[in-house]
């Protein structure tokens, strides 16, 4: 029997999608789905939805629901981490306080002020999770979806979690969209991407042995509106297409968000994630009400890697996935020890990252700034060094292009106070 | 259409097996098999055999035969290298001259005197091959089977061949045999091996999440005759099972071949390869006579990786194979730049090595000696430095445990003279 | 006899100082000073000044003056490079054009727009110099003073110049000033610095085995005006004192120059170097007129490393100097292959860099941005890739914090046109 | 005041030499020499000799003698480690037991059976020393003379001793002898050596900018008896002169000691160290009797690095010394983390290793075997893994060229029993 824990299962919509994929496999053998959340209502909703999905797909898993995390983890083979620490209230703080200082953010979950504080409030929970895993399922694969991806995976690895990989669909959907743009069936496109999460680069984009980049250039040439996308702007200047959406990509560089004119030119949706948060709440409530009422819930397959990885490890069927893992020889011109995103082989042995060598210099330079921030945030947590939080934001490209150092320190002071109850005590210091 | 060149196709038995696998796939689309050999009779035999096999398997490839190598390579997607430079006469020299000095060899194609001189006479041909590939099919995948594997792949990489991987079935068959030994179905065994070709180590050997090494220990305990195998002896002392046969494994270490008592205890078949050479000649002649007579030829599938790799690259179906590639971050405690054997992901993008981290210290120590020899032989060729040939054999574990340095130099002098016509002029120097 | 070439000897004031130091040693044996400049008047002035200094110090060197560079280099043991390509006109362009776009610079010779274009116009001359050295004095030590230091040393190393080291007095004078600030005799202070040129960090600052940083903190606490220095601001936030002056340090980070309020708070002298240029012209003219009139010229010893290095190599007396060299294992958390500044042993064998290990994370993060720019500028020259110039400035912290990407590209276009006659033809492209 | 502890001060003759050097400096300020030994008589003798030497040299140090090690270390600036664990009895076992198996040794203190067991019995004492240093003088420089040098320094570093360097005069005396051989004043010779302790290589050997190797070749050509030296034999084959005596150099390679004919040809003094041990005892007794009788004791300066290092650190005067330190970027083709011997800058900041880059391939190959043994012995101690002791000797070139694996294991069993009282309990296991 294969036992899979969902930590933060109350992110019901996401849980639904993953379960739909899992229950869609017919060769996984017996499954035990152990759901955990700290919110009883959300946990109940998740469990009900899981049962409904199983029924609709004709699967017969064991489903258990646990308010106690360690109970959920007991004896697990896989742990899917989809927690969101502080939920929407914390997210609003991440946007509102920086906005008062003039810092613009769109999604705010990866780098920048939002990403840094999301990491800092997630780390204490990850520390508990790591301790539980060490105690009751030390060999389990921890499939992390929680952002900020790179910092979380780095911190979990530093805590000694043996088998951890961070998963994100951005490479997949980028390639899907690019294929559509150039009019080639996605299945026929061959691609290689690599870099850091939400800022990888399409290193190869080919069809029938030929690069598709000229075709993309032609598409851009024909439609000047294409130039009003951040990722197209980055592609034209750096030579490689970035693997995140334009609003998201804009946050990790100093070039766009600080300028009013670029907000306009590139139609950047400042505060976008606050709107998404509202939608997520609405989606959740719809599911909650449906399961309460005994109505059917949507069962839509995704393309997420977690179910695929579980399938490959259980059955031995090899697959290629993109994973976020510690850079131990994988990308030679990004810092050793940082967390990078590379193609991974997954088969019965688990997720095995491939070494992709040297990134193009301009891409590596952009990634290097991203890694700097990660390094300092992880250091802040490992060394319990509140000064490193400020240093992280001084190194953050978009923040540093907007604020003076005094403002950065003042904003940090405001944020450690506002998030105080979720932070490690040492990191609440006002400097 | 997919075009595949076989260089050294006159190694007919091997060619037959690979073609049987290839023609067995039904989703490869149109195939052009371009056979090359410098021996017209063998080339004719190979071409006839290929046609027969295609017919027997209902495949309809284009088959062409070329005495001119570059013509065979023209426009190829894949190049399978199975040449044997100097053939049996050279092999006999590799055994007979060292034997006069008291150096014992069993297979002599990987390390030791035989391996070193096999490399030195193969390199000039590889140089020509590399130049041809650069000229007419620079993006082709070069799938090398020719020994000495690690040195050849190293040299080819140093020559700038872009897509080269060395393939060997020893990991596969080792795991197959081990599974049989412990009585677990091979399909259910999960394994990880890594190291250098013919001297990788079974790092993980598991069933249902548990190590199978205790079961192997029990098998050994029950049957004292098991101890009379070199690889079992090495396993007991080093803690990890080596991936080559006992006779072969004995050649890369100083511990066995130099001692009469160990020859006896471990039943080491000195000169074994000379017997295999005779068998190969007989097999070839049988096939030759059969195709001449219009008789059927054996069509036996193999488990070789080359057809699998071609299939994965053409169709995109992911697979795990073992490949010999340059150590660029793959095994962190073997020298960077050397050629190592690791699991590789193969899909539409090609063969992508996974990074496996740190080898157990005792295993890495044994591999390090092997790498030393490779380093010096490749250096001898790249720098045209005849002294490095002697230094390679001074570093060779079994040779150095047998001869004095004066003898090593005298033996080298004898060998450069004996192989003179196949060596680079600079390397024929008598020192 | 020891032969020393001064390339760009017409930077007379600097030449004077170095010669005063050299002629002050009494154990160097016979010296031949070969002066080279492309400006005949400056060359004549330098030669006359050299003769005067020799006389005043009682030294009897051979002094020769050469308009032909290779003639000056012939048989040299040491080459001191103090060229300034494009002189004051080019410098004015480096300041004025960016200023029109709102880019502020103070010195503009290391990073930023000024640093990048100074590199690009210096590289072609360095290429000629490297070729001459290879031809007539391949073993000579090339002691480079020309900025941008790190990029020039990187490029020279990439061109294969064997013995090159970049020299700068900023570490020395920083420590001298710091000693004064805390009231400890400079001779009694022990210090270690490391990083990149003009942005190294005072890693140790000690007296009698105790850190002097607390004493510095006390000095800062007592005098609030201290906080109005960029380097004090950086020290307080990053924890390590930077080794360049405040105006210079402000140019390599995104934090100060883009903000009007910081210009005011930190009293940043925008355009400062243009004033220095005027002073340099005046100094030169004073010397020129003095030697013409047969008047004495000032003979002031410096603390520059070049004379010290020459003395140590010639006599074998060991010394510690700070040198800029390729990072081959020296600083483990800065990119391998970049040019870093570390303590070096200099004795009869030459300049031998010491490995200093890991920089503090916040310092390394700041240096990483500096290295990114260097990487892309050197790549622009090596690959003749005009796009990499733009990418360098997109990666430049102060530039990227000021301009939009469109502005960066427009500014680059203006600059390649303005500097056109000094750039490699491929790099003059308007994109 | 500078406080220097001598641990194992009862190695009186060595202590005398170091003190003579130290007391010969007139600018060290006040000195406190704290002598420690576990043998009261030897400790008394050392203290008396120290007093006599001070008087003879007109120095006025404080001298204290301590049977308690921690008391000696209290507040020290420098710790000189010259212990010999097990003394002569243990040494005799190291020679006699292997001899019964046919293993020949000459010095037996670096590699091979003698070196391995010397390490294993020294490590527990080093562990205590490291704990004491951490407790009472954590910033002290530990200047280690105790063999096996590389393994001891590696183990001490792994235990977290901050400032440790291993010192050996072999590079110095090799260069001294080589200079004499070619008839050039030692002071005029420039040299660079690097590798591992007792097996470094003379990478540069120059006079007036020209290599002296041709002169050495000529000396060898003229005197055929020169060829009967191991180090000359190695030099001729490998191209670089080794930095240890011939008898010592013979122990780290598989080429000489296993062959009767080479013992004869190269006049190898098997068991040599047992004779030296006798001489050491006689020297000690002579000194002991002299100080008892109030007679003068010899005051001979040495060229050892410890007094020089102390002088440079105390006064700030820069020097070049050879030190054994952890390979953190120093020699790029020897394993990172191993202990290597390189030139070091020593000044007020301490001993600062220089990075020397790539060793010649043949030299690195020989060193690699040496490092393999070190790796496994240190692992045996750190992991308390008795199997790694056997693996170390299986990797030891001379041992593996002499014995079968069964013999190696039997010999190890004999030795762990014979040395039982000096080994860590876990390592006494008979396997």
């Amino acid at each position: 029997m294969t036992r899979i824990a969902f930590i933060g299962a109350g992110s019901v919509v996401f849980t639904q999608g993953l379960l739909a994929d899992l229950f869609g496999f017919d060769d996984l053998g017996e499954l035990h789905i152990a759901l955990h959340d700290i919110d009883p209502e959300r946990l109940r909703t998740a469990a009900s939805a899981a049962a409904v999905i199983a029924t609709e797909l004709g699967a017969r898993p064991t489903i258990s629901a646990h308010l106690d995390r360690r109970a959920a983890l007991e004896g697990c083979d896989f742990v899917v981490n989809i927690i969101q620490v502080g939920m929407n209230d914390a997210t609003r703080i991440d946007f509102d306080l920086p906005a008062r200082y003039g810092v613009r953010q769109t999604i705010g979950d990866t780098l920048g002020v939002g990403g840094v504080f999301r990491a800092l409030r997630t780390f204490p929970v990850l520390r508990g999770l790591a301790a539980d895993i060490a105690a009751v399922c030390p060999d389990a694969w921890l499939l992390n979806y929680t952002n900020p991806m790179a910092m979380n995976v780095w911190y979990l690895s530093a805590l000694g979690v043996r088998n951890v990989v961070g998963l994100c669909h951005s490479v997949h959907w980028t390639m899907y969209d690019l294929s559509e743009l150039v009019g080639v069936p996605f299945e026929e496109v061959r691609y290689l991407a690599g870099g850091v999460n939400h800022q990888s680069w399409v290193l190869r984009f080919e069809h029938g042995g030929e690069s598709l980049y000229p075709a993309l250039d032609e598409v851009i040439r024909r439609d000047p509106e294409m130039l009003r996308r951040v990722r197209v702007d980055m592609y034209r200047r750096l030579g490689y297409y970035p693997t995140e959406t334009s609003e998201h990509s804009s946050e990790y560089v100093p070039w766009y968000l600080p300028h009013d004119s670029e907000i306009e030119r590139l139609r950047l949706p400042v505060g976008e994630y606050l709107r998404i948060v509202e939608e997520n709440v609405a989606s959740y409530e719809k599911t909650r009400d449906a399961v309460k009422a005994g109505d059917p819930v949507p069962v839509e397959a995704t393309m997420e890697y977690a179910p695929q990885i579980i399938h490959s490890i259980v059955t031995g069927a090899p697959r290629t996935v993109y994973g976020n893992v510690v850079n131990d020889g994988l990308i030679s011109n990004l810092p050793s020890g940082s967390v990078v995103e590379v193609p991974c082989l997954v088969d019965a042995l688990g997720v095995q990252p491939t070494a992709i060598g040297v990134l193009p210099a301009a891409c590596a330079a952009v990634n290097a700034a991203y890694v700097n921030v990660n390094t300092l945030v992880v250091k802040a947590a490992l060394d319990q060094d509140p000064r490193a939080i400020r240093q992280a934001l001084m190194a953050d490209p978009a923040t540093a292009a907007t604020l003076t150092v005094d403002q950065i320190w003042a904003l940090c002071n405001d944020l450690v106070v506002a998030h105080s109850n979720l932070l490690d005590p040492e990191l609440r210091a006002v400097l």
Side-chain angles (χ1 to χ4, degrees), chain A:
Chain A
M1 199 192 56
T2 299
R3 180 167 167 145
I4 308 166
F6 283 72
I7 306 302
S11 298
V12 177
V13 182
F14 204 66
T15 303
Q16 280 173 258
L18 298 180
L19 289 177
D21 285 2
L22 273 173
F23 296 161
F25 289 120
D26 57 7
D27 55 351
L28 277 181
E30 253 185 278
L31 289 183
H32 180 154
I33 306 297
L35 305 170
H36 163 71
D37 207 288
I38 57 172
D39 177 331
E41 189 206 75
R42 281 183 170 263
L43 180 59
R44 264 195 312 276
T45 304
S48 304
V52 171
I53 294 167
T55 305
E56 296 187 23
L57 289 169
R60 301 170 158 278
T62 305
I63 295 169
S64 60
H66 309 262
L67 284 167
D68 180 59
R69 185 174 57 205
R70 193 169 287 198
L73 292 169
E74 191 77 44
C76 272
D77 302 294
F78 300 94
V79 181
V80 179
N81 183 34
I82 48 178
I83 61 170
Q84 210 191 137
V85 178
M87 296 295 287
N88 303 342
D89 289 348
T91 299
R92 267 180 221 108
I93 291 169
D94 285 348
F95 275 81
D96 293 349
L97 284 188
R100 288 188 208 158
Y101 285 79
V103 173
R104 294 166 177 140
Q105 299 177 87
T106 53
I107 308 293
D109 66 355
T110 303
L111 223 62
V113 183
V116 168
F117 278 87
R118 186 173 284 260
L120 292 172
R121 66 176 176 268
T122 304
F123 286 176
V125 181
L126 295 184
R127 211 159 53 230
L129 175 61
D132 285 351
I133 289 174
V136 301
C137 56
D139 293 327
W141 277 93
L142 174 50
L143 308 176
N144 180 70
Y145 277 102
T146 298
N147 278 319
M149 179 62 74
M151 298 194 227
N152 285 343
V153 171
W154 192 332
Y155 188 63
L156 286 162
S157 301
L159 294 175
V161 178
R162 210 171 296 163
N163 292 320
V164 57
V165 61
L167 303 176
C168 174
H169 52 220
S170 64
V171 170
H172 175 89
W173 289 118
T174 295
M175 298 317 305
Y176 190 90
D177 292 351
L178 275 180
S179 304
E180 217 165 49
L181 267 179
V182 298
V184 173
F186 176 56
E187 304 68 38
E188 296 180 14
V189 168
R190 297 182 181 193
Y191 62 90
L192 173 69
V196 291
N197 181 244
H198 291 172
Q199 196 184 62
S200 287
W201 311 95
V202 180
L203 303 170
R204 293 174 59 186
F205 174 38
E206 299 170 359
H207 185 235
E210 299 296 323
S211 174
L212 286 168
Y213 270 144
L216 178 62
D217 293 339
E218 182 58 21
V219 169
I220 296 169
R221 203 187 56 73
R222 284 199 203 139
D223 177 6
E225 280 298 294
M226 290 284 291
L227 297 176
R228 298 185 61 190
R229 302 185 188 185
V230 163
R231 61 208 312 199
V232 169
D233 192 80
M234 289 175 67
Y235 161 62
R236 284 175 63 235
R237 299 180 197 277
L238 302 174
Y240 297 87
Y241 205 77
T243 60
E244 250 303 326
T245 57
S246 287
E247 58 265 31
H248 224 170
S249 291
S250 72
E251 297 191 300
Y252 323 136
V253 293
W255 306 317
Y256 307 113
L257 287 168
H259 301 281
D260 295 344
S261 60
E262 294 296 73
I263 299 288
E264 167 66 21
R265 177 172 79 94
L266 299 161
R267 299 169 301 195
L268 285 167
V270 174
E272 170 76 0
Y273 194 60
L274 294 176
R275 282 187 289 277
I276 294 173
V277 157
E278 298 307 322
E279 286 170 27
N280 288 346
V281 169
S283 292
Y284 163 68
E285 288 172 353
K286 206 170 123 192
T287 299
R288 181 196 58 195
D289 298 344
V291 297
K292 263 194 197 152
D295 294 342
V297 301
V299 181
E300 280 171 44
T302 72
M303 63 55 57
E304 295 294 342
Y305 292 131
Q308 299 179 27
I309 288 171
I310 291 169
H311 182 262
S312 284
I313 293 180
V314 171
T315 67
R319 271 192 184 79
T320 310
V321 302
Y322 276 79
N324 291 275
V325 290
V326 173
N327 186 25
D328 185 9
L330 306 176
I331 299 185
S332 52
N333 58 342
L334 288 184
S336 172
S338 62
V339 166
V340 294
E341 189 167 73
V342 292
C344 298
L345 163 66
V346 51
D347 62 15
L349 278 190
V351 180
Q352 301 155 74
T354 64
I356 64 169
V358 179
L359 287 185
C363 299
V366 179
N367 288 165
Y370 177 116
V371 171
N372 281 338
V373 180
N374 291 0
T375 306
L376 287 160
V377 174
V378 172
K379 177 184 155 58
L382 293 177
D383 297 356
Q384 293 287 296
D385 173 4
R387 181 177 296 253
I389 304 172
R390 281 77 180 165
Q391 293 165 346
L393 285 172
M394 288 173 71
D396 183 74
T399 309
T402 305
L403 303 183
T404 66
V405 281
D406 277 335
Q407 290 170 326
I408 290 173
W409 286 51
L411 172 56
C412 275
N413 286 343
D414 289 357
L415 280 159
V416 295
V417 169
H419 286 307
S420 186
N421 60 323
L422 297 171
L423 300 182
D424 281 330
E426 290 289 331
L427 299 184
R428 296 173 199 163
V430 169
L431 300 183

